[in-house]
Amino acid sequence: MRPPEAELKALVGEWVKKAAQDFAGAERLAAEGTEFRELVVFHAQQAVEKYLKALLVLHQVEFPRTHDIEKLLGLLGSVQAEIVEPLLDAKWLTPFGVEVRYPGDFPETLPGDENRAVDLAGRVRRAVMTVLEPYFSGK
C-alpha cells in the first residue's frame, strides 16, 4: 500500500495525463483547419476541466460531476485564488463540453473559435502546470 501522499500524487497525475491528451488532441485538430472546429472546442473544454480538477484533487477539494468551468474555478478560488481571475475567460468553453456532442443541440462555433479554444486551454494548462511542477519535481 502506498502512503497517502503517493496516492494523491498518482491521482493528480492521472488527471493531468488525461487533460494533456485532450489538449494535444485539440491542438492537432486545430492545425487541420476549420473542418474539426467542434471537436477542437470540445477537447479544449475537456482539457480545461481536467486541469482544474487536477488542482482541486491536489488541494483535496471535493467537486461534483460537472463540466461547468466557472463552477470549478469557484471551488478553486477557495484554495488557489490567485490563478482564478486570470482564467475566468475559460468559462466560455463550458457549453462545448456536453452540448456540442448532440446534433442540432449545440452552441454555434464560428471561424476562429477553434483558435480561441486552444489559446484558452493553453493558458489554463500553463497556469495549472506552474502550480503542479514543483509538486511533481519534489521541490
Side-chain angles (χ1 to χ4, degrees):
M1 185 166 148
R2 293 191 287 193
E5 180 68 20
E7 291 290 334
L8 181 62
K9 192 173 189 176
L11 185 55
V12 171
E14 289 175 33
W15 279 103
V16 168
K17 181 180 177 182
K18 292 191 89 39
Q21 289 171 342
D22 278 313
F23 183 69
E27 281 188 311
R28 288 183 185 157
L29 290 166
E32 295 292 322
T34 60
E35 179 183 356
F36 301 107
R37 187 180 302 130
E38 283 81 15
L39 290 172
V40 171
V41 297
F42 169 73
H43 285 290
Q45 187 283 337
Q46 289 292 289
V48 167
E49 179 183 325
K50 291 169 187 160
Y51 280 122
L52 296 176
K53 287 178 178 179
L55 270 186
L56 290 168
V57 169
L58 173 69
H59 291 293
Q60 299 181 36
V61 174
E62 288 190 42
F63 51 87
R65 284 185 171 247
T66 185
H67 301 289
D68 188 330
I69 291 169
E70 188 170 18
K71 181 176 241 173
L72 295 172
L73 286 167
L75 291 169
L76 195 53
S78 67
V79 292
Q80 194 91 46
E82 70 279 3
I83 73 164
V84 171
E85 188 171 336
L87 302 180
L88 283 175
D89 288 352
K91 67 184 180 183
W92 173 79
L93 290 164
T94 294
F96 302 110
V98 178
E99 288 89 349
V100 44
R101 300 180 82 180
Y102 302 103
D105 195 27
F106 53 86
E108 181 181 11
T109 56
L110 302 171
D113 282 352
E114 67 279 4
N115 298 322
R116 180 180 182 193
V118 171
D119 288 345
L120 286 168
R123 281 185 19 214
V124 171
R125 178 179 182 265
R126 286 186 298 277
V128 168
M129 295 313 294
T130 297
V131 172
L132 292 179
E133 193 279 325
Y135 179 73
F136 282 107
S137 69
K139 294 179 184 173

